[in-house]
Amino acid sequence: MKQLEDTLNQYQHRVNEQLNHYINIAHPVSPLLNEAMEYGALLGGKRVRPFLVYAVGEMLDCSLQSLDPLAAAVECIHAYSLIHDDLPAMDDDDLRRGQMTCHNKFDEATAILAGDALQALAFDIISRPNQALSAQTQLKMVNHLAKASGDHGMCAGQALDLAAEKKSVDLATLEQIHQAKTGALIKVAVQLGALAKTDLPAEHFILLSQFADAIGLAFQVQDDILDIIGDTQTLGKPQGSDIALEKSTYPALLGLEKAQQKAERLCRDALYALSQLPYNTELLALFSQYIIKRDR
């Protein structure tokens, strides 16, 4: 796993530099807003979604320079979603990545605006001229990212998740929630990396999307598992928060052992999709295994 760890660190450093460049601008209109944006976006994190943009794009021989804005844009969306998820009206969390949540560090209004601004920044970044991409390709990327972020994806998933609190939902409904809330943004990260290869065969795009569907759901199943078996210090957020909010989770519906088996099956599905591709998929295969073995 050292190859994966080294590459994760490399991509993490790279996207952090990009985010710093876009957020820490000279003479901001509201310095407080940019400070809160920086806090929310650069507080830490695994950078799973930028990793997928870079890993898929490089696998397809795209340059890192052409992938930089795509990785930064998808992480801006993710950062905004975490700031808003932590708000009192949503999950009401005090910790994120082991630090105070944005609304506790600043105030609720500033946190809301920081999230809004990061969402807008994502589309600013991804639509700026990119010498490696045609305007038509960029427009397609904007469309994919918008759908994955809004009422076709992440926001819809969060709405369903909030509506399901203190209720028991069936497995199909839980899967729908997580495919939208968590899976959509993971999937679009893979798709952005794939779209950067403008002559990619359609069947390869479909296989990469199938891979993304499997790891996106596996990621959430493992999150549910860690909410039970993890600890607050390692997780960087309150352990047991799903239980406290009476959320339906995979361990709650299936039991811990069967939830772990489901994560393993999803990992196998991801590996199978990768095996059908004529590229060096070793890094993505290692990442698929990491998803279900991580402790945070």
Side-chain angles (χ1 to χ4, degrees):
M1 283 282 184
K2 188 175 187 305
Q3 176 194 358
L4 176 64
E5 185 179 338
D6 289 347
T7 309
L8 270 168
N9 288 337
Q10 174 196 337
Y11 290 159
Q12 184 183 64
H13 179 71
R14 189 175 185 97
V15 79
N16 284 348
E17 285 188 334
Q18 293 295 313
L19 291 168
N20 187 62
H21 165 73
Y22 287 117
I23 295 170
N24 285 315
I25 56 175
H27 313 299
V29 175
S30 168
L32 179 65
L33 176 63
N34 285 70
E35 185 184 348
M37 291 166 68
E38 178 188 10
Y39 186 82
L42 287 158
L43 188 61
K46 298 174 287 294
R47 306 304 192 213
V48 163
R49 293 147 196 84
F51 167 85
L52 288 167
V53 173
Y54 285 129
V56 170
E58 279 211 291
M59 180 186 75
L60 300 173
D61 294 324
C62 301
S63 71
L64 283 170
Q65 289 75 18
S66 69
L67 299 168
D68 281 335
L70 313 181
V74 77
E75 188 58 27
C76 281
I77 295 289
H78 181 231
Y80 122 70
S81 75
L82 297 183
I83 292 172
H84 281 197
D85 279 1
D86 290 336
L87 289 168
M90 299 262 208
D91 290 346
D92 195 16
D93 278 327
D94 294 327
L95 283 178
R96 171 66 65 180
R97 295 165 177 163
Q99 305 293 324
M100 293 170 64
T101 47
C102 193
H103 66 275
N104 281 323
K105 175 72 173 177
F106 297 89
D107 57 67
E108 191 172 346
T110 301
I112 292 169
L113 289 171
D116 292 345
L118 284 166
Q119 182 190 44
L121 180 60
F123 293 101
D124 175 6
I125 293 169
I126 203 171
S127 61
R128 293 184 190 187
N130 186 329
Q131 291 184 344
L133 301 171
S134 69
Q136 183 179 9
T137 297
Q138 285 183 268
L139 184 60
K140 190 181 293 185
M141 290 173 168
V142 167
N143 182 258
H144 273 76
L145 186 58
K147 283 182 176 174
S149 305
D151 68 330
H152 289 74
M154 185 184 70
C155 286
Q158 177 70 348
L160 291 174
D161 192 39
L162 290 169
E165 286 181 7
K166 297 181 171 38
K167 295 178 185 175
S168 179
V169 302
D170 60 26
L171 200 57
T173 302
L174 185 62
E175 192 160 312
Q176 180 190 28
I177 291 170
H178 291 324
Q179 280 177 334
K181 182 181 177 183
T182 304
L185 210 56
I186 286 176
K187 184 174 183 176
V188 82
V190 170
Q191 291 177 329
L192 290 175
L195 288 168
K197 177 73 171 176
T198 52
D199 59 349
L200 183 73
E203 59 268 27
H204 295 173
F205 186 85
I206 291 169
L207 284 166
L208 283 166
S209 296
Q210 290 172 352
F211 155 76
D213 281 334
I215 62 164
L217 194 53
F219 190 92
Q220 185 59 54
V221 175
Q222 184 65 11
D223 261 7
D224 286 358
I225 291 167
L226 291 175
D227 192 65
I228 293 175
I229 68 172
D231 63 83
T232 297
Q233 185 174 356
T234 304
L235 293 174
K237 60 183 181 180
Q239 183 268 343
S241 59
D242 288 343
I243 296 171
L245 290 170
E246 297 181 49
K247 288 189 176 185
S248 291
T249 65
Y250 285 93
L253 290 183
L254 299 175
L256 181 59
E257 185 177 350
K258 287 189 177 178
Q260 291 168 327
Q261 291 170 0
K262 182 171 182 65
E264 289 167 2
R265 283 198 303 274
L266 288 164
C267 179
R268 289 195 295 271
D269 291 345
L271 293 175
Y272 178 76
L274 292 178
S275 73
Q276 307 304 300
L277 291 164
Y279 311 109
N280 180 359
T281 60
E282 181 183 1
L283 186 63
L284 292 176
L286 288 172
F287 181 78
S288 302
Q289 294 159 8
Y290 159 78
I291 284 290
I292 63 168
K293 292 178 180 176
R294 63 195 171 88
D295 61 359
R296 66 188 73 193

